[in-house]
Amino acid sequence: MYRQKVKRELAGWVERGLLPAETAERLSRDLDTRRDGFSIGQVLLMLAAAFMAAALLLFVSSNWDVIPRIVRLGGVILLIWIFHLGGARFYQRGMPVLGAALLLLGTAAFGGGLSLAGQMYHIAGDMTQMLTVWLGAAVLTAGLFRSSAVAVAAGLIAYGLCWSLLDASNGAFTIINLVVPPMLAALILVLSRWVQDAKIAQFSFLMLLCWAFWLYTLDENVILGVVYAGLGLALLAAVSLSASPVATLAGRMGGVPAFYALLLAGLGVLILLIEYHKGMALMVAAIAGLLIAVGALALAGRDHGGVRWLAYSIIAAIVFDVWVTTIGSILGTSGFFLMASLVAAVLAFLVSRLEKRFAAKRALAP
Amino acid sequence: MNRFGLISRYPLVVAALIAALQSAAILYVVESRASVLRHGQEVLLQTAPIDPRDLLRGDYVVLSYDIAEIPTSLVFGSWPLGEKRQAIHVRIAPGEGGLWKVMQASFDPLPPAEGTVVLKGTVSYVPDRSTGADLRVAYGIERYYVPEGEGREIESARNEGRVSVAARVSAAGQASIRALMLDGKPLYEEPLY
């Protein structure tokens, strides 16, 4: 996508005489030699590793008693050694993708071994401990080998651990489930920086969002909706405004931080719409939601397609919700949309005036 | 290769270290449980099974024990309130038919006594004492993992009171299942490893 888009732009610039054809050719060649190129061979190799990991875990889970369990246990431990040493050997010989695939299998084998031990002695109710140990091993391997494949596995195990902690709490506030999920998210974020793969940070953001929603389900308090909406908007401003100190850090991750900040604000709006479903309260909640979406478009809509798409979705969802539940009466709802339309038209007028003035200033500047 | 830091120089050593740590972790779990089975005090408990599946460990039979329901009248000492998980100590002793029954329970540690065993369990919800509701205690032995598909056979063979469990209990109060019995006979061979 990105590559094709840039090449189209290059061709356009050459056509309009803005760029010498030779430079465009060199730029496009540089684009083709990038390391992060998509390779179907590599994708298939990682898929093969993931499927084999699943096969291994399911084999343990099947508890096939034709093979004595001591043999199964020995086999799993042998696999741990083969996969880790084999993976290291491939790294040594400059084949990091094959190395990462084997390390991923090694990490899966360790999880299989822990499960087998639990199965052998009929251990009940220690899922949290088991997943903690497994996560520790995955983080250690991913960290030492800087492997983003194993980091993905760590992200998935962290989800399992987070879920098992929240599940074990029986829907009660405890220090553990207030503190541990953010810590897990921070751990995955650090891991994502360390293995230099920004995609893994999304595990972290998504985990925080799930946790935020879980907190709401505990109490169903409308205050949380207000807090999430405000916090999401504040975070969005923090990562988008160029004056903010975290903007450069977030900029390195593209539109991802802005997208998840808006998703948090959207979660807040959703909670407000769930809690307030009639009359004045619904109108205030809907207006607040629309303002948040418009604010997000103003802050980050120009640079990030994902934020744009999410803001439009939030607007569509609010309109649909208000349409279906109606504010008092159908006539009242009609009045609400008339007001919204007038406000949007006035804003459009003001903003286009501002944009023209900025464009004029920019044209004068050089 | 610089990107891999430490790994670029000694990748095999690091990999071996990781594999050794992981093997040690698995063997630790195995041996800590095997030692309970080897040295623990044997107790016989009455159960009633049903069977679901665990994503990682496979099919299992849920065992709900008679000793999991403890009447408040048997609980001595302090009474912590709230929704938090609480550790509880339960003294059991052999009753009729060789099945072990609850003698007393306490949220404070119980001293050892001749002819009895103290089990450590957890209560996930402690009701108000005045309600007189039974305490539900989990001992970490509520699952019996079986080869795929065989859980249903146990279920169909189940007839109230036909399934019992022989468990071993360590000095620290940790229980580990030694055998699942149908009509007093073990269903599966349970080697130590």
Side-chain angles (χ1 to χ4, degrees):
Chain A
M1 273 297 275
Y2 168 72
R3 189 163 305 191
Q4 274 179 348
K5 203 170 163 187
V6 174
K7 281 187 177 172
R8 262 205 311 276
E9 292 280 17
L10 287 174
W13 288 330
V14 169
E15 218 164 89
R16 284 154 58 198
L18 290 170
L19 196 69
E22 191 201 348
T23 312
E25 181 63 28
R26 285 211 333 254
L27 288 174
S28 127
R29 225 176 304 132
D30 176 61
L31 212 54
D32 285 336
T33 52
R34 290 275 173 86
R35 211 191 119 267
D36 59 327
F38 172 82
S39 147
I40 189 72
Q42 290 183 4
V43 171
L44 284 173
L45 181 64
M46 290 321 287
L47 264 183
F51 290 157
M52 196 183 284
L56 184 70
L57 289 172
L58 282 167
F59 175 75
V60 168
S61 161
S62 82
N63 198 349
W64 198 40
D65 57 353
V66 172
I67 303 176
R69 53 192 212 178
I70 180 84
V71 178
R72 275 182 275 162
L73 186 70
V76 167
I77 290 178
L78 188 67
L79 283 180
I80 288 175
W81 283 85
I82 291 173
F83 288 144
H84 281 92
L85 292 178
R89 194 84 186 92
F90 281 122
Y91 270 101
Q92 214 174 23
R93 293 163 74 192
M95 298 154 88
V97 179
L98 215 52
L102 285 195
L103 288 181
L104 184 66
L105 282 172
T107 303
F110 178 53
L114 287 176
S115 306
L116 183 59
Q119 187 187 66
M120 281 166 68
Y121 297 103
H122 311 289
I123 303 173
D126 72 324
M127 211 39 138
T128 310
Q129 281 165 21
M130 186 217 142
L131 289 171
T132 307
V133 174
W134 196 8
L135 177 65
V139 169
L140 186 68
T141 307
L144 285 175
F145 283 88
R146 291 207 156 176
S147 156
S148 58
V150 181
V152 167
L156 290 173
I157 299 168
Y159 270 87
L161 177 56
C162 191
W163 180 81
S164 113
L165 277 173
L166 300 185
D167 187 54
S169 73
N170 288 333
F173 277 119
T174 61
I175 297 297
I176 287 177
N177 51 39
L178 279 182
V179 173
V180 176
M183 276 168 55
L184 285 176
L187 176 73
I188 299 302
L189 199 61
V190 168
L191 195 61
S192 134
R193 292 279 297 153
W194 176 250
V195 303
Q196 296 167 1
D197 190 340
K199 288 190 290 290
I200 290 158
Q202 303 205 25
F203 279 104
S204 171
F205 299 141
L206 208 55
M207 180 185 291
L208 284 176
L209 275 170
C210 294
W211 175 68
F213 188 73
W214 177 82
L215 283 180
Y216 165 70
T217 62
L218 282 189
D219 200 28
E220 308 210 339
N221 194 324
V222 74
I223 301 284
L224 275 180
V226 177
V227 169
Y228 292 165
L231 190 65
L233 200 60
L235 286 173
L236 185 66
V239 299
S240 316
L241 294 174
S242 52
S244 132
V246 290
T248 41
L249 195 71
R252 260 182 257 158
M253 298 169 76
V256 171
F259 180 84
Y260 283 98
L262 181 56
L263 205 52
L264 177 63
L267 177 63
V269 172
L270 176 74
I271 291 173
L272 290 179
L273 291 179
I274 291 174
E275 294 289 329
Y276 296 127
H277 37 72
K278 59 174 183 277
M280 198 62 181
L282 171 61
M283 197 168 82
V284 171
I287 289 173
L290 290 174
L291 286 178
I292 284 172
V294 171
L297 284 173
L299 279 169
R302 177 192 287 279
D303 295 338
H304 305 307
V307 171
R308 227 157 36 227
W309 175 86
L310 186 57
Y312 294 149
S313 306
I314 290 174
I315 293 173
I318 293 171
V319 168
F320 183 73
D321 182 69
V322 170
W323 192 306
V324 170
T325 47
T326 74
I327 298 171
S329 63
I330 297 177
L331 190 63
T333 313
S334 161
F336 168 77
F337 279 121
L338 179 65
M339 283 293 294
S341 147
L342 288 176
V343 169
V346 169
L347 278 177
F349 175 70
L350 290 176
V351 167
S352 63
R353 284 290 291 271
L354 278 176
E355 278 175 344
K356 257 183 216 148
R357 192 171 301 171
F358 280 135
K361 226 184 246 175
R362 223 174 293 145
L364 282 175
Chain B
M1 272 281 116
N2 211 4
R3 197 168 107 80
F4 303 109
L6 228 181
I7 303 309
S8 62
R9 230 172 297 163
Y10 312 107
L12 289 175
V13 177
V14 173
L17 221 62
I18 292 175
L21 272 176
Q22 296 187 351
S23 310
I26 294 170
L27 293 177
Y28 170 77
V29 177
V30 167
E31 185 46 37
S32 64
R33 289 299 171 141
S35 87
V36 174
L37 292 184
R38 211 181 300 120
H39 306 298
Q41 161 77 47
E42 175 129 348
V43 298
L44 195 61
L45 306 165
Q46 187 64 54
T47 74
I50 39 171
D51 73 323
R53 172 174 292 175
D54 174 325
L55 279 179
L56 284 169
R57 295 173 193 156
D59 289 1
Y60 61 89
V61 177
V62 169
L63 303 166
S64 125
Y65 293 92
D66 287 1
I67 61 165
E69 304 272 344
I70 299 182
T72 38
S73 57
L74 291 180
V75 183
F76 295 87
S78 61
W79 188 275
L81 256 183
E83 294 173 339
K84 249 181 69 195
R85 261 158 203 271
Q86 288 291 346
I88 189 167
H89 306 265
V90 180
R91 186 189 304 285
I92 56 175
E96 48 182 299
L99 293 166
W100 291 54
K101 302 270 181 249
V102 176
M103 306 294 292
Q104 59 174 181
S106 170
F107 290 102
D108 311 311
L110 286 170
E114 191 61 33
T116 70
V117 161
V118 176
L119 274 170
K120 233 164 107 178
T122 51
V123 183
S124 53
Y125 172 72
V126 183
D128 196 354
R129 187 164 207 162
S130 60
T131 62
D134 287 359
L135 288 178
R136 262 214 80 78
V137 182
Y139 297 100
I141 49 173
E142 286 75 20
R143 292 181 178 192
Y144 188 86
Y145 290 94
V146 291
E148 186 183 0
E150 292 183 20
R152 303 235 172 258
E153 282 173 38
I154 297 181
E155 193 185 17
S156 63
R158 170 185 62 182
N159 208 335
E160 306 303 323
R162 283 177 62 203
V163 175
S164 56
V165 159
R168 294 248 161 123
V169 185
S170 73
Q174 186 183 39
S176 199
I177 295 175
R178 188 182 64 73
L180 185 79
M181 331 258 248
L182 191 62
D183 299 327
K185 288 192 201 81
L187 262 180
Y188 293 96
E189 271 304 308
E190 291 283 347
L192 207 48
Y193 296 108

